[in-house]
Amino acid sequence: TGYCSALATGCSALSMRATWRGLALLVAATRALKPVPRRAFVGGATAASVASAASAARALDFMTSASGIEWADAKVGSGQPYKSGQRCAVDYVMSTSGARYGSKIDATKERNEPYAWTLGDGSTILGLEQGILGGQGIPPMLPGGIRRLIIKPELAYADKAIPAKNSLQVQDCSVGRGPVPPNAPERSGDMGAGEYQRFKNIYCNQNRPYQPDLVLDIQLFGRKGG
C-alpha cells in the first residue's frame, strides 16, 4: 500500500516524511482544506489520479527550517504578516504521519469553527506559531495564504505524553498547548468526539512509545480592518 506503521513494519521517519511529501500532499486538498485520507489511495486510486497527485505534489517546494519544521506553501497570501501579541485565526486540517487506520484527525472547516488565539500567549504549540510568524529559516505567512507544516513532536505535543503525576492512565488532553479537537460526544454513551479520541490516542498517550510528526494544513485569515 505504501503506508505503514513505524512500529509494525519498521518504516523510518525519513520514509514516512517522503510519503507525506508525495502522494498525500495535493494542491487541491490544501487549497480547499479538505483532508486526503490514506485509504483514498489504497482503495480507489487510478493510475491517472495517482499521477495527478504526484504531479501536484512535485509543484510544491518543501524546505526544512533550522528547528526541524518542514514546510511548503500551496498559496502565498498578501498584505502584512502578523506579529507576536496580535490575534489571529486559521482553518486547519490536522493529520499525522504515523497512523495505521488513516491519517486525518481533525478539520476546523467541517464544524465551521476556526482556531483563534493571540500569538505568543502560550496557548498554542510552538510549531504552529513558528509556521505563521516565521523564523529559523521560515518566512512569515501572509493573510490568505495556505501552508503545510510537518512538525516534530518537540514543537508539537510531546508534553502531553508525559505521564501524569498521579500515574493515572486517563489524562486530560485539554491541558497544555493547542489546538486540540473538541471533546463533545456526538451521541449519548460516547466516550467523546471521534476527532478527540483519535488525537488522544496518538498525541496524548503515555503508553505510546513514540509520537509521529504532526501534519497541519493551515489557511491564515486576514485581520479585520486590514
Side-chain angles (χ1 to χ4, degrees):
T1 64
Y3 299 110
C4 46
S5 164
L7 291 183
T9 65
C11 287
S12 68
L14 179 61
S15 65
M16 286 193 294
R17 288 196 295 271
T19 298
W20 272 102
R21 284 173 172 161
L23 293 180
L25 180 54
L26 299 178
V27 174
T30 49
R31 182 182 301 139
L33 282 177
K34 295 180 180 178
V36 181
R38 297 183 181 205
R39 292 183 182 274
F41 294 103
V42 175
T46 64
S49 65
V50 170
S52 176
S55 176
R58 283 194 296 270
L60 294 177
D61 184 17
F62 269 94
M63 305 289 286
T64 302
S65 72
S67 58
I69 295 173
E70 296 183 63
W71 61 275
D73 284 324
K75 176 185 175 182
V76 177
S78 60
Q80 295 299 312
Y82 282 85
K83 297 179 180 179
S84 184
Q86 292 181 319
R87 187 84 174 165
C88 79
V90 299
D91 264 330
Y92 68 73
V93 175
M94 178 187 293
S95 308
T96 175
S97 63
R100 183 180 301 178
Y101 300 112
S103 59
K104 180 220 165 187
I105 297 175
D106 184 38
T108 57
K109 213 170 185 64
E110 292 179 358
R111 57 178 181 274
N112 294 317
E113 292 182 2
Y115 178 70
W117 78 104
T118 299
L119 290 160
D121 68 0
S123 68
T124 298
I125 58 173
L126 299 177
L128 176 54
E129 290 217 327
Q130 190 177 120
I132 291 175
L133 290 171
Q136 299 289 308
I138 303 177
M141 280 191 77
L142 301 180
I146 298 174
R147 176 173 286 180
R148 167 160 284 194
L149 303 170
I150 303 177
I151 305 171
K152 300 289 187 182
E154 293 76 16
L155 296 175
Y157 300 113
D159 290 346
K160 291 187 182 294
I162 297 175
K165 291 182 180 180
N166 57 11
S167 298
L168 292 176
Q169 296 298 310
V170 179
Q171 293 179 256
D172 184 2
C173 298
S174 65
V175 175
R177 295 177 184 265
V180 175
N183 187 24
E186 298 176 2
R187 295 175 296 274
S188 177
D190 283 356
M191 295 178 63
E195 293 85 354
Y196 176 83
Q197 293 301 322
R198 287 193 293 273
F199 174 85
K200 181 177 180 180
N201 180 58
I202 296 170
Y203 291 111
C204 187
N205 186 348
Q206 66 181 22
N207 296 315
R208 191 182 181 104
Y210 81 106
Q211 270 197 13
D213 292 346
L214 175 71
V215 183
L216 286 175
D217 294 331
I218 56 175
Q219 180 175 22
L220 180 62
F221 294 128
R223 292 184 293 274
K224 291 183 179 181

